[in-house]
């Protein structure tokens, strides 16, 4: 188990990644449909803003598909090549567009799908903005690096960089700061494009929640809880407070200096409340953990004592069995005495004991502890096999246990789940040895019920 206690949050992060991929593909498809049918609203997604370019929409569609297929990393080679092809396409579109800007070239890829008739007077009609091209280069590289360094932070660096550029653009639109969403005199990145980049970046990060920096964010421990609470707050709260401050300043409620003071005081107040709430929650979690650990220690101590007692009892039984077998070879009278002692120890043992034929796994004898544990009568058990009673729940697990027993001649403390007559599942600690009776090999099995201990451990993990 990882030191970050992962597992419970991983499926939720991967579902969010699929949702992000779906939204990205939906945006790309709607914009392409808008260009195909010449519907302005579909081209812009939001009314009254600049349109999203056709090649931008196509690249979003490819990036979303690559992210979706990233969830099936170990699938067949056809899906792998399709994912790689989409990632390479996204990377190349971003790279070629940036090269066009840098050297003033025009390779015609901007008007390849549709002619941007509304912007033919521009220097580069139909071309995506430099910020958009840079983000596609970064995210396409991240998708490619995931295949090469899929357990390394290297693949997450370009994704985080692209998300920062997209966040700057969104904040620029919210605050009306053009320099945050426009590079020089070139075309601006559209607001829906910046928002889609944010969603796509989060989707790529969430696709691998058990790798890189995301290990901390997705973990079940205190660090993960704090990260999931404070990271969104660190982005949303200052942005909202800044907007409220700007709104009040624009309508003349206060000046710049007073507005700055209001921003600082509000930020301090909100983050103080957030930190107090988080630390209080962590304190309660830690207190519950300490109580659970104490309970587990007590249960383990009790279980160890019970196991020790039953092990000693089983050792005594085994010693008696060995003596009985030896004595049976001496005289018939000694054999009868040994059988009587063994039967008494077998019947009165607090551990669940059974003797089964190794040829067909049928029961030839069980003790009262066995019958009490599984809820059967002696008539229902004797002569029937394990398979007929439907005791074991996992065929593969039982086959592995049988394999170990036949290879080594014994099994010690093997944890397995059995089903009682009532259908209840019980966790057992099983030990078995070979017992020869009348020249035929049998299995002498001892079972200890550890269900309560496992439940306590599960409570601690939660």
């Amino acid at each position: 188990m990882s030191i970050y206690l992962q597992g419970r949050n991983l499926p939720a992060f991967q579902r969010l990644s699929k949702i992000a991929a779906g939204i990205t593909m939906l945006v790309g498809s709607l914009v392409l449909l808008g260009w195909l049918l010449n519907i302005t609203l579909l081209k812009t997604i939001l009314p009254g803003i600049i349109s999203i370019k056709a090649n931008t929409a196509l690249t979003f569609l490819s990036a979303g598909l690559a992210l979706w297929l990233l969830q099936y990393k170990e699938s067949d080679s056809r899906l792998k090549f399709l994912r790689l092809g989409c990632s390479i396409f996204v990377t190349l579109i971003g790279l070629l567009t940036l090269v066009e800007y840098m050297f003033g070239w025009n390779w015609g890829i901007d008007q390849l799908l549709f002619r941007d008739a509304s912007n033919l007077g521009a220097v580069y009609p139909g071309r995506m903005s430099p910020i958009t091209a840079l983000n596609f280069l970064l995210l396409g590289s991240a998708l490619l690096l995931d295949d090469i360094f899929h357990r390394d932070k290297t693949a997450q660096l370009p994704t985080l960089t692209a998300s920062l550029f997209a966040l700057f653009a969104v904040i620029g639109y919210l605050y009306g700061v053009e320099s945050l969403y426009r590079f020089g005199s070139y075309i601006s990145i559209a607001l829906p494009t910046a928002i889609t980049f944010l969603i796509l970046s989060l989707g790529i990060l969430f696709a691998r929640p058990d790798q890189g920096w995301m290990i901390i964010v997705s973990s079940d421990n205190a660090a993960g809880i704090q990260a999931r609470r404070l990271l969104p707050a660190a982005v949303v709260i200052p942005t909202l407070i800044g907007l409220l401050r700007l709104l009040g300043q624009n309508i003349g409620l206060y000046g710049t200096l007073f507005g700055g003071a209001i921003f600082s005081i509000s930020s301090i107040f909100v983050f103080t409340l957030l930190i107090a709430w988080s630390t209080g929650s962590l304190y309660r979690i830690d207190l519950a953990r300490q109580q659970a650990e104490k309970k587990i220690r007590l249960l383990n101590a009790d279980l160890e004592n019970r196991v020790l007692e039953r092990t000693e009892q089983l050792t005594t039984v085994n010693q008696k069995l060995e003596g009985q077998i030896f004595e049976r070879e001496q005289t018939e009278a000694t054999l009868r005495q040994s059988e009587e002692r063994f039967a008494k120890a077998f019947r009165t043992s607090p551990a669940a004991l059974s003797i089964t034929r190794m040829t067909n796994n049928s029961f030839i004898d069980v003790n009262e502890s066995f019958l009490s544990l599984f809820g059967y009568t002696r008539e229902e058990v004797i002569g029937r096999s394990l398979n007929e009673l439907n005791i074991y729940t996992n065929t593969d697990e039982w086959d592995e246990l049988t394999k170990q027993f036949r290879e080594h001649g014994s099994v010690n403390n093997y944890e397995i789940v059995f089903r009682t007559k009532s259908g209840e599942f019980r966790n057992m600690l099983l030990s078995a040895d070979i017992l020869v009776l009348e020249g035929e090999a049998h299995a002498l099995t001892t079972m200890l019920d550890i269900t309560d201990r496992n439940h306590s451990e599960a409570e601690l993990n939660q």
Side-chain angles (χ1 to χ4, degrees):
M1 182 177 64
S2 169
I3 60 172
Y4 293 100
L5 301 176
Q6 289 187 316
R8 185 174 58 183
N9 297 315
L10 298 185
F13 276 91
Q14 290 167 344
R15 283 194 298 269
L16 290 174
S17 178
K18 284 189 175 182
I19 293 173
I23 293 174
T24 304
M25 289 189 288
L26 178 62
V27 171
S29 301
L30 289 177
V31 174
L32 284 176
L33 182 63
W35 279 98
L36 182 63
L37 302 179
N38 196 23
I39 302 176
T40 303
L41 182 59
L42 292 182
K43 294 180 185 180
T44 60
I45 301 298
L46 297 175
I49 61 174
I50 62 175
S51 62
I52 302 175
K53 304 306 178 185
N55 54 352
T56 300
L58 179 61
T59 312
F60 269 138
L61 184 59
S62 299
L65 180 58
L67 176 57
W68 183 274
L69 295 176
L70 204 62
Q71 308 295 330
Y72 307 96
K73 190 173 183 65
E74 304 302 329
S75 59
D76 60 64
S77 58
R78 291 174 297 179
L79 292 181
K80 180 178 180 180
F81 285 127
L82 178 59
R83 184 184 71 247
L84 286 174
C86 292
S87 302
I88 292 172
F89 175 78
V90 174
T91 306
L92 284 178
I93 287 294
L95 178 62
L96 292 177
T97 304
L98 286 176
V99 171
E100 285 183 322
Y101 275 119
M102 291 173 61
F103 298 99
W105 296 342
N106 187 2
W107 289 329
I109 61 174
D110 309 317
Q111 299 282 67
L112 188 61
L113 293 177
F114 302 97
R115 288 183 59 81
D116 190 359
S118 63
N119 199 21
L120 289 177
V123 179
Y124 305 113
R127 182 176 297 181
M128 65 180 68
S129 73
I131 301 176
T132 302
L134 179 58
N135 270 9
F136 277 134
L137 175 61
L138 290 169
L139 295 180
S141 302
L143 292 169
L144 288 175
L145 288 170
D146 185 87
D147 285 317
I148 303 173
F149 304 105
H150 51 274
R151 288 195 177 276
D152 195 273
K153 299 175 183 177
T154 309
Q156 295 176 354
L157 275 173
T159 305
L160 292 172
T161 305
S163 65
L164 286 177
F165 288 146
L167 181 62
F168 291 162
V170 172
I171 292 177
Y173 273 104
L174 292 176
Y175 284 80
V177 182
E178 187 178 9
S179 58
L180 290 179
Y181 58 83
R182 181 170 184 172
F183 181 73
S185 59
Y186 297 111
I187 186 172
S188 307
I189 181 175
L191 177 58
T193 301
I195 295 174
T196 307
F197 272 128
L198 272 178
I199 296 172
L200 179 60
S201 300
L202 291 176
I204 295 175
L205 292 174
F206 291 168
R208 297 285 181 259
D210 57 342
Q211 299 167 16
W213 288 299
M214 288 302 297
I215 292 178
I216 299 176
V217 178
S218 63
S219 65
D220 294 341
N221 57 21
I225 295 173
Q226 286 282 46
R228 291 191 294 274
R229 289 175 178 174
L230 297 181
L231 285 177
V235 175
V236 175
I237 291 176
T239 303
L240 292 178
I241 294 176
L243 281 175
L244 293 175
R245 171 224 171 162
L246 186 62
L247 178 63
Q249 188 172 317
N250 289 338
I251 63 178
L253 292 178
Y254 42 76
T256 303
L257 295 178
F258 187 79
I262 288 294
F263 176 82
S264 300
I265 294 172
S266 301
S267 299
I268 293 172
F269 177 74
V270 172
F271 275 102
T272 300
L273 289 180
L274 181 62
I275 293 172
W277 172 64
S278 297
T279 52
S281 178
L282 291 177
Y283 171 77
R284 290 189 294 272
I285 292 173
D286 187 64
L287 185 62
R289 177 186 59 80
Q290 293 176 3
Q291 294 173 348
E293 287 178 348
K294 181 179 179 181
K295 183 178 180 181
I296 284 293
R297 285 194 298 269
L298 294 175
L299 289 174
N300 281 339
D302 180 64
L303 181 61
E304 288 175 0
N305 292 332
R306 291 168 57 190
V307 170
L308 181 61
E309 292 175 0
R310 294 182 182 183
T311 301
E312 292 175 350
Q313 293 171 356
L314 183 58
T315 302
T316 302
V317 171
N318 286 336
Q319 292 173 350
K320 290 181 179 180
L321 287 175
E322 292 174 358
Q324 291 167 359
I325 294 173
F326 175 77
E327 292 172 1
R328 188 186 64 176
E329 296 174 351
Q330 306 302 316
T331 62
E332 189 66 23
T334 304
L335 174 62
R336 288 195 296 270
Q337 294 175 0
S338 298
E339 288 176 346
E340 291 174 359
R341 286 196 295 268
F342 169 72
K344 182 178 180 180
F346 184 86
R347 301 292 182 197
T348 59
S349 174
L353 300 178
S354 68
I355 301 176
T356 56
R357 286 190 174 90
M358 293 187 63
T359 55
N360 57 6
N361 287 330
S362 62
F363 289 95
I364 66 169
D365 203 359
V366 295
N367 66 353
E368 293 299 322
S369 298
F370 180 97
L371 298 175
S372 176
L373 178 62
F374 286 93
Y376 289 98
T377 63
R378 184 173 299 278
E379 291 73 19
E380 292 175 322
V381 174
I382 302 303
R384 300 180 69 185
S385 67
L386 289 165
N387 188 40
E388 290 174 326
L389 291 178
N390 196 23
I391 288 179
Y392 54 83
T393 61
N394 188 313
T395 304
D396 294 336
E397 189 177 54
W398 179 255
D399 290 342
E400 176 64 22
L401 172 62
T402 304
K403 178 182 177 183
Q404 291 187 24
F405 182 66
R406 293 187 182 277
E407 289 179 354
H408 304 289
S410 65
V411 174
N412 293 316
N413 296 331
Y414 189 98
E415 186 170 346
I416 189 170
V417 179
F418 280 148
R419 182 188 293 108
T420 65
K421 180 180 179 181
S422 64
E424 182 183 9
F425 295 96
R426 307 296 294 180
N427 296 87
M428 305 288 183
L429 201 62
L430 184 146
S431 298
D433 291 283
I434 292 179
L435 177 66
V436 179
L437 298 177
E438 298 178 356
E440 182 181 357
H442 295 71
L444 173 63
T445 306
T446 304
M447 287 163 282
L448 299 178
D449 189 354
I450 59 171
T451 306
D452 294 338
R453 186 198 71 177
N454 288 357
H455 286 172
S456 299
E457 290 178 350
E459 292 177 1
L460 174 60
N461 289 337
Q462 292 174 2

